[in-house]
Every structure is written in structure tokens, then in C-alpha cells.
Amino acid sequence: MTTAPMPEFPAGFRWGVSTSAYQIEGAVTADGRGPSIWDTFAHSPGRIVDGSTGDEACDHYHRYAEDVALLAELGVSAYRFSIAWPRVQPTGEGAANPGGLDFYDRLVDELLGHGVDPVATLFHWDLPQALEDAGGWLNRDTAARFAEYADLVAARLGDRVKLWITLNEPFIHMSLGHGMGVHAPGWMLLFDAFPVAHHQLLGHGLAVSALRARSTSPIAIANNYSPVRLQGDTDADRAAGNAYDALHNRLFTDPLLGRGYPEGPGFDPAVVRDGDLDVIAAPIDVLGVNYYNPTGIRAAEEDSPLPFEIVPLEGYPRTAFDWPVVPDGLRDLLLWLRDTYGEALPPIQVTESGCAYDDVPDADGQVDDPDRIAYLDGHLRAVRAAIDEGVDVTGYFVWSLLDNWEWAEGFTKRFGLVHVDYATQRRTPKSSYGWYRDRVIKP
Ligand code: PNW
């Protein structure tokens, strides 16, 4: 598919792709790795739609050199991956497991050898199972454990990782993992999941100090945002929109940027101790923004347990996940962040943006994915529009390099620029890979 020439981005703009450990690595018992909550969850009957697990995933643990060659050929300047905590600390505490860190050491050197900046996420949801057995993120102690783990990683990789990302989407880990039971560890606590928000944020703040002590590289967090599209214009609809914003878009960002928690659903002051908000507001250098779609909101029915009602957005194309394709939502979000946080907002990098489609190889083995090209084209123009309106955006990472194990959806959702045939682990770049390389990164 051809698209109109992409407008130029500022010099030095960081082009990347993202992945996460449990979704691609496989090799779940290699070199002393301990079990994580996702191993436990995936192996529990009924949790994953196709009954699959991440035991093998894309076998990236053994094929990382081939995957780095794909990155180099793509021409990205950065690669965002995550480090599996249970490889570094199989039980979540104590001395580092050298075999686990060795893998990331090899990966980082392979990236640098190909001119690709390593961007490392420390926590992309794969908590060591032993920590979950002690209460997981509901237990305040997990925050301190996370900072110790960050210290071990930075001691080994702090001279070479170019950007640290402490947590991936703490909101999704709280809501889907602990509120609604859709993700590991599978708790259904609804709004009682708030301690998971606070302890993740506390862990983030403590990890920022640990990283600063070992590394001069900038530090970020990757938050998930979904701008509100009000479906109604009554005062009750607007109040519902504010409640949803407080929960999804501000619960993590307000305290990170020094404003304390927003009043609203889910907030429980009882777990917040003196001094915690100062730890959480430790300055960060970059705000990572993961965006997939906006959320339609209107006032809830009177007997609803929720202070808002989520309404499907009509009139948009949809991805294989049934998520609406709304590129303007990304521009709106970036402007909302700037208008809401003003001077407190650090430069933004879009750390995830992408879509799932049912990509099937043709008779010649080629994968043509015009819908993904249209998706990325629209979202990049939205980023460009926000930059034109004065928002400081310095990077964009496509989710994802490879088709991979999509959590509760197993292998049924393909987000990659590169198709993976899981039976053979054969990688085939899709047409979107060539488009990103030739029309965006090196036009
Ligand atoms: C993100 N939602 O997860 C994650 O960071 C990735 O690991 C994942 O593969 C990617 O987005 C695609 O799903 C999300 O329900 C999971 O709104 C669920 C939602 C959003 C993000």
C-alpha cells in the first residue's frame, strides 16, 4: 500500500519498535529462570483463549541474534524490550542469577553492535511467583524488592542501556490483573485493587533512585492512556468523563508529576504513608505513552456499581481486537497531557502504538498488511500534528517487532511488523515492515 509522503519529524527523533519478555522469549526454565505469575496463570485451565502459554513464544531467547538483524535491517534507532525479573532473581529477592543477566548482556551488546539503542523496561507484568505468594503488589514490601532488582540490573547494564523504563502500564496491571481477573495474577478486587497502584508507583520511585546511583541514562515510565470521548452532554455525562479520566488517565500520572492522587473512584488514602508522594514524584526524564484507542463514556445507570458507563465507539474501522481505529485520539491525548500538566510534563516518547490484524501469508509466503500501514500512517500524522501544536514528542515505538503471545488472547492476535510462524519459528517481514523502513525511518 502506498501512502502520501510522511511529513518530516524533528532531527534526532527516535524511531523504534517494542516487545516484552514473556511475550517473545520462551525458554522459561533456561539458565535458572524462576516462575512468574504469567507462567502460573497461563498454565491454569481456562485463562488463555487458545489454551496456549508463553513456554516457547517466539523462542527469542535462542533467536535474539536473528531478531536483532531484523531490527538493523529495519533501520530503527532504538529497541524497547523488557527484562524478566524472574531471570534476574528467580525468587524475587537476593543475589542476582548471573545466567539470567548474561542473556540481557548479550542482547544489549548485539544491539549496540548494530547501532540500535537498547531501551530496557524493568517490569512488563512478569512478577516472580514467589513474590506473588507473599502478596505481590498488594504487599508494600514488593516496592522495596523492585528497587533491589533495579539495582542489580543497573549494576550490570547501566553503562549501556540508553533509556530506562521502570514499569509498563501499571494501570493495566492493576485493572486487568487485579481488578477484573483477565490478566495474571487473576484477582477480581475491582476498586479494592488500589494498593496495587500505590505500591507499583512506590516501587517506581524507589527504582528511580536506584537507577540514578548506577547509571547516567534517562529514566521513564510507560503509562497506558485512553482519552475520553464523551457520549452525551449532560452534567452527569461530564461527571462520568471526569471519573473515568481520574481512574485511567490521571491515577498514575498526577502523583508521578507531583500533584498527589486525584479524587475519584479507586483512590484509598489509607495505604498512602507520609513521604510516599515525594518518593513517587522523583523527577523522570521522559514520559512513555502507550496509546491504542479512546474510550466512549457516558453517565451510568442509577443502580450501576461504576461511576461511568463505557460505550463502544461507533463509526470507526476496527482491528482484529475489535478496538476502534482513532488516530485523532493520539493527537488529542498528547495535547491533553500538555494542557493538563504544563511545565511539569517531561518530553514524551510514544512507547507503544500498533494494531492486531489477521495477517495470513499468501501462496508465496508474503504477508500484505495494508490495514496496519494505514493505522501507523494515521497515528504518525497525529503525532506530527501534536508536535506542530507545540507538544514535545521525541520518539515513537511500534508495538510490536514480532507477532507474539498476546496475554489472555494467546497466539490469536498478531501485532507484529514481522510475521511469525509459530510451528517453525520462521520470521517473515510484512509489507508494513518495508513501509516503516522506506517511508518513515529512511524516506
Ligand atoms: C499493552 N486494554 O497491553 C501491553 O503493554 C502489551 O504487552 C500488549 O501486547 C499490547 O498493549 C497490546 O495489547 C494492553 O484492554 C492490554 O485496554 C490491554 C489493554 C491495553 C493495553
Side-chain angles (χ1 to χ4, degrees):
M1 176 179 155
T2 54
T3 47
M6 183 61 61
E8 260 187 63
F9 278 71
F13 193 84
R14 179 178 255 160
W15 295 111
V17 289
S18 296
T19 63
S20 89
Y22 190 68
Q23 295 181 270
I24 65 168
E25 287 179 354
V28 290
T29 56
D31 302 317
R33 179 188 181 276
S36 83
I37 58 173
W38 272 100
D39 297 277
T40 306
F41 193 76
H43 280 272
S44 305
R47 293 298 203 172
I48 311 301
V49 293
D50 59 359
S52 65
T53 72
D55 287 1
E56 290 176 31
C58 305
D59 195 34
H60 168 78
Y61 194 79
H62 299 114
R63 295 168 196 263
Y64 73 92
E66 180 185 351
D67 294 336
V68 172
L70 285 165
L71 291 165
E73 170 66 23
L74 181 56
V76 288
S77 53
Y79 172 53
R80 174 178 175 236
F81 60 97
S82 83
I83 295 175
W85 188 347
R87 289 197 193 282
V88 178
Q89 290 179 300
T91 61
E93 61 185 340
N97 166 39
L101 276 173
D102 286 349
F103 170 68
Y104 298 106
D105 203 273
R106 291 194 295 276
L107 174 63
V108 162
D109 283 347
E110 189 76 11
L111 289 166
L112 292 171
H114 286 83
V116 180
D117 286 351
V119 174
T121 305
L122 292 173
F123 181 69
H124 203 122
W125 306 345
D126 44 359
L127 189 78
Q129 181 61 43
L131 292 183
E132 180 62 27
D133 296 341
W137 287 111
L138 290 162
N139 178 354
R140 183 179 169 96
D141 191 51
T142 298
R145 299 282 82 75
F146 181 65
E148 288 174 10
Y149 155 65
D151 173 69
L152 296 174
V153 173
R156 185 73 180 268
L157 305 175
D159 56 335
R160 284 161 293 153
V161 165
K162 301 299 182 202
L163 174 65
W164 297 104
I165 296 177
T166 55
L167 306 174
N168 178 69
E169 299 188 352
F171 171 75
I172 298 291
H173 193 51
M174 174 189 77
S175 57
L176 296 194
H178 299 77
M180 285 139 65
V182 175
H183 280 186
W187 297 112
M188 292 182 59
L189 301 171
L190 300 176
F191 290 123
D192 292 337
F194 174 73
V196 174
H198 186 61
H199 297 148
Q200 285 184 95
L201 283 170
L202 195 59
H204 156 86
L206 296 170
V208 168
S209 322
L211 294 169
R212 296 266 186 236
R214 298 265 191 197
S215 173
T216 56
S217 295
I219 302 175
I221 185 169
N223 278 328
N224 179 275
Y225 297 95
S226 184
V228 168
R229 291 280 164 121
L230 272 190
Q231 305 296 300
D233 58 5
T234 66
D235 286 347
D237 292 320
R238 276 184 286 279
N242 290 337
Y244 190 82
D245 252 336
L247 179 65
H248 193 146
N249 297 316
R250 292 176 46 210
L251 187 65
F252 294 83
T253 309
D254 277 20
L256 282 164
L257 299 183
R259 296 183 163 200
Y261 284 105
E263 291 297 328
F267 173 54
D268 174 7
V271 298
V272 183
R273 296 191 191 164
D274 280 353
D276 285 0
L277 288 172
D278 292 333
V279 173
I280 292 168
I284 52 174
D285 306 296
V286 170
L287 180 67
V289 168
N290 293 2
Y291 168 79
Y292 289 92
N293 53 257
T295 301
I297 296 290
R298 70 175 170 221
E301 304 290 327
E302 287 213 355
D303 55 356
S304 167
L306 295 175
F308 47 76
E309 183 181 334
I310 296 177
V311 191
L313 291 172
E314 303 295 345
Y316 297 100
R318 290 181 174 270
T319 70
F321 227 129
D322 214 28
W323 293 350
V325 178
V326 190
D328 281 354
L330 179 52
R331 174 186 161 278
D332 296 348
L333 167 62
L334 294 168
L335 294 175
W336 178 85
L337 285 166
R338 194 266 315 273
D339 294 343
T340 303
Y341 297 105
E343 291 292 303
L345 184 69
I348 289 171
Q349 295 190 17
V350 177
T351 35
E352 286 183 26
S353 171
C355 50
Y357 287 106
D358 297 325
D359 305 314
V360 181
D362 66 19
D364 301 323
Q366 301 302 303
V367 184
D368 194 23
D369 56 344
D371 291 338
R372 179 169 293 98
I373 292 174
Y375 185 102
L376 296 174
D377 182 80
H379 286 73
L380 282 170
R381 288 174 198 280
V383 172
R384 181 64 255 196
I387 293 173
D388 286 339
E389 294 188 60
V391 187
D392 190 7
V393 186
T394 60
Y396 179 92
F397 293 73
V398 174
W399 183 271
S400 178
L401 171 66
L402 302 171
D403 290 343
N404 61 47
W405 193 78
E406 176 57 32
W407 308 115
E409 306 291 320
F411 291 116
T412 68
K413 299 288 183 285
R414 295 180 175 274
F415 276 90
L417 296 175
V418 175
H419 181 272
V420 177
D421 173 29
Y422 298 110
T424 61
Q425 294 297 350
R426 190 190 148 102
R427 275 84 163 128
T428 305
K430 304 177 189 176
S431 49
S432 58
Y433 173 101
W435 174 87
Y436 193 40
R437 178 188 57 205
D438 300 336
R439 305 300 293 268
V440 179
I441 301 174
K442 289 180 191 151

